[in-house]
Amino acid sequence: MTQSSPGSARPALIPGLSGDELRRWYWLKDELSDFARSLGIRATGGKELLTERIAARLDGREFVEPSPRRRTGGRQLAGELTPETLIPEGQRCSQTVRAWMAEQAGPGFHFDAEMRAFFAASDGTQTLQHALDHWVATREQGKRGIDAQFEYNRFTRAWHTAHPDGSREDLLAAWREYRARPVDERGRA
């Protein structure tokens, strides 16, 4: 299959598509999963992983699956917690920890990206006070970036900044127009 020219319509997801052409367009995760199944390859994982797995198949390349993250099945915090409580390696963002943090930080506490990363990086030497201090410090950062896999969220934030009085219908129409163009013709939100 030949590459589409600038301004062309989004191609169909067919085995003759190239990996580069696949990456040029916005695809829903369900579309990618269905296409992966039709190609006889794993249909699990996030959009970025699915896209790379499919692109490798389309281009006739071997795809090396990323190593799974090592999960420790160790002890999780429970019972009475204090600021001096050590956070064990592999501690999940559990309801027990959420309740303690909300009690200390207030009802606005939530496990955002910074807090999830803090707990994921815990090596067993940090305390809940460190976690609380991290929460307070990251509140002063202002608006945080939105990860690449959340393209709709990034687009929505940028659109509302440019059109503060815009309607939901206008937003959705702009999103449909944005995602209908190839990546190299639309820039990034």
Side-chain angles (χ1 to χ4, degrees), residues 1-2 4 9-18 21-22 25 27 31 35 54 58:
M1 177 173 203
T2 60
S4 65
R10 185 174 83 151
L13 284 173
I14 58 172
L17 193 65
S18 73
E21 189 66 3
L22 175 78
W25 300 92
W27 306 99
E31 292 174 305
F35 188 44
I54 293 168
L58 293 173

Side-chain angles (χ1 to χ4, degrees), residues 119-177:
F119 279 91
S122 177
D123 62 2
T125 63
Q126 294 181 303
T127 65
L128 286 175
Q129 183 62 52
H130 290 119
L132 187 57
D133 293 344
H134 183 74
W135 168 258
V136 171
T138 57
R139 298 311 93 198
E140 299 167 2
Q141 293 177 349
K143 273 192 179 178
R144 292 158 191 77
I146 300 174
D147 290 342
Q149 72 266 30
F150 302 112
E151 189 167 1
Y152 175 75
N153 299 38
R154 285 193 337 261
F155 177 85
T156 300
R157 179 185 282 178
W159 190 87
H160 278 300
T161 299
H163 307 92
D165 297 323
S167 70
R168 177 165 171 72
E169 293 77 24
D170 292 341
L171 165 68
L172 293 175
W175 168 247
R176 283 189 295 274
E177 191 277 325

Side-chain angles (χ1 to χ4, degrees), residues 58-81:
L58 293 173
D59 293 342
R61 295 182 287 110
E62 180 182 351
F63 181 76
V64 177
E65 292 288 339
S67 299
R69 284 190 0 208
R70 186 178 72 94
R71 279 200 170 261
T72 59
R75 185 178 72 83
Q76 297 291 303
L77 293 177
E80 186 177 337
L81 304 177

Side-chain angles (χ1 to χ4, degrees), residues 53-128:
R53 190 181 293 135
I54 293 168
R57 171 59 64 91
L58 293 173
D59 293 342
R61 295 182 287 110
E62 180 182 351
F63 181 76
V64 177
E65 292 288 339
S67 299
R69 284 190 0 208
R70 186 178 72 94
R71 279 200 170 261
T72 59
R75 185 178 72 83
Q76 297 291 303
L77 293 177
E80 186 177 337
L81 304 177
T82 69
E84 295 78 29
T85 301
L86 284 175
I87 302 168
E89 183 178 359
Q91 173 63 46
R92 291 184 296 276
C93 297
S94 68
Q95 291 301 319
T96 302
V97 173
R98 179 188 312 272
W100 187 86
M101 292 291 293
E103 186 178 297
Q104 306 303 310
F109 175 80
H110 57 281
F111 284 112
D112 58 12
E114 288 85 3
M115 290 307 295
R116 288 189 307 272
F118 179 88
F119 279 91
S122 177
D123 62 2
T125 63
Q126 294 181 303
T127 65
L128 286 175

Side-chain angles (χ1 to χ4, degrees), residues 1-14 17-29 31-32 35 47-48 50-52 54-55 58 148 151 175-188:
M1 177 173 203
T2 60
Q3 299 291 322
S4 65
S5 60
S8 63
R10 185 174 83 151
L13 284 173
I14 58 172
L17 193 65
S18 73
D20 285 340
E21 189 66 3
L22 175 78
R23 287 186 204 92
R24 283 188 72 212
W25 300 92
Y26 180 88
W27 306 99
L28 297 174
K29 183 175 179 192
E31 292 174 305
L32 294 170
F35 188 44
K47 282 177 64 172
E48 291 175 357
L50 273 168
T51 299
E52 291 311 310
I54 293 168
L58 293 173
E151 189 167 1
W175 168 247
R176 283 189 295 274
E177 191 277 325
Y178 172 84
R179 76 175 196 186
R181 292 181 291 176
V183 172
D184 54 331
E185 292 179 21
R186 68 178 178 215
R188 284 287 188 196

